[in-house]
Amino acid sequence: MVTREEILVLGLTAGVVGSLVGGLMLGIGLGLVIGGQHLGWLLVLPASPVAGMLGYVLARKLARKLSRG
């Protein structure tokens, strides 16, 4: 059974980690693009999907933990 605490921790962790990683990728990528480095687009474009995937990975980890115990 999933407890409220586990759902809350999952949501907070996914939000914070996703925001940090996505924000860093977006910020660094945009800085490179503005500076004339087209390589920065390789950081800007996948920033949002990478941030979302971190939440998905954390949710799968919680589901695996619950199915074992």
Side-chain angles (χ1 to χ4, degrees):
M1 181 81 182
V2 179
T3 64
R4 287 183 183 182
E5 177 188 0
E6 290 170 330
I7 293 172
L8 179 66
V9 169
L10 172 66
L12 289 172
T13 305
V16 169
V17 172
S19 296
L20 286 174
V21 170
L24 280 172
M25 288 178 70
L26 187 65
I28 293 170
L30 284 177
L32 288 171
V33 170
I34 290 172
Q37 299 289 328
H38 296 292
L39 190 62
W41 287 110
L42 293 176
L43 289 174
V44 172
L45 294 176
S48 180
V50 167
M53 279 302 279
L54 290 173
Y56 178 74
V57 168
L58 289 170
R60 297 267 313 198
K61 181 179 173 185
L62 176 62
R64 190 177 318 117
K65 176 183 147 190
L66 293 173
S67 68
R68 287 184 189 161

